[in-house]
Amino acid sequence: MNLEAGSILAGKVTGITKFGAFVTVAPGKSGLVHISEIANTFVNNVSDFLTEGQEVQVKVLSIDENGRLNLSIKAALPSPPKKEHQEPRRSGQSGRRPAPSQGRSQQPPDYVPMRQSADASFEDKLKRFMQDSDSKMAGVRQYSEKKTRRRSR
């Protein structure tokens, strides 16, 4: 049996946990399918998608130095059709962004915009949101500290 990254194998679900499922792909060889790699949609409960003893197709994502397999069910599936998402335009909008204001930039100096794509995973979008939120909160804290220092003089 060919156990290398990128190969697609048939396996049997042997255990279900809250963070994923264990799948046996060969006698004595099993790996973990993380909850984020089970389906192309959001998975809240692994048991909603898989049952013990179920036969599944998995793709080997990687094999770590201890020989553990990282598997994916959604990578073994054909990719879903991409949806074209466009914001409806309101009358009077030209589709252009307003010109940036002169002076200080609204974004912090270390801000690097991430390419927003329709196929970005929920985890990627959530991570980006949390980074932006933390950055904005740091700016608010800085501003309020400056304001407090001015009052205490």
Side-chain angles (χ1 to χ4, degrees):
M1 179 162 284
N2 194 7
L3 285 177
E4 53 187 43
S7 58
I8 296 179
L9 309 166
K12 188 174 191 177
V13 178
T14 56
I16 294 178
T17 64
K18 18 178 207 185
F19 55 85
F22 290 96
V23 176
T24 300
V25 292
K29 272 298 191 185
S30 64
L32 174 69
V33 178
H34 189 264
I35 191 168
S36 65
E37 294 294 330
I38 290 176
N40 288 319
T41 61
F42 178 72
V43 178
N44 191 31
N45 188 358
V46 178
S47 299
D48 293 342
F49 290 82
L50 299 172
T51 57
E52 284 192 40
Q54 180 179 353
E55 295 282 333
V56 292
Q57 290 282 349
V58 293
K59 182 174 184 176
V60 179
L61 296 178
S62 64
I63 303 173
D64 68 6
E65 61 277 350
N66 297 328
R68 295 180 294 197
L69 301 174
N70 295 320
L71 306 171
S72 173
I73 293 173
K74 75 177 182 181
L77 299 172
S79 60
K82 297 195 182 221
K83 296 179 183 176
E84 290 295 322
H85 178 72
Q86 285 186 334
E87 292 290 324
R89 289 193 179 171
R90 297 183 190 126
S91 61
Q93 281 186 332
S94 66
R96 291 183 164 186
R97 289 186 174 174
S101 60
Q102 297 295 328
R104 250 184 74 199
S105 170
Q106 294 287 21
Q107 303 299 340
D110 60 339
Y111 178 78
V112 178
M114 186 177 93
R115 190 179 130 243
Q116 293 293 330
S117 63
D119 58 343
S121 70
F122 173 76
E123 288 83 8
D124 293 337
K125 290 177 182 178
L126 180 61
K127 181 179 176 184
R128 182 64 183 178
F129 171 78
M130 293 300 293
Q131 288 172 343
D132 289 346
S133 178
D134 290 343
S135 174
K136 289 176 184 176
M137 287 305 295
V140 168
R141 276 190 232 106
Q142 245 181 354
Y143 176 76
S144 66
E145 286 175 7
K146 285 180 183 177
K147 203 171 183 182
T148 305
R149 280 190 242 133
R150 288 182 195 151
R151 288 183 189 166
S152 63
R153 287 186 191 181

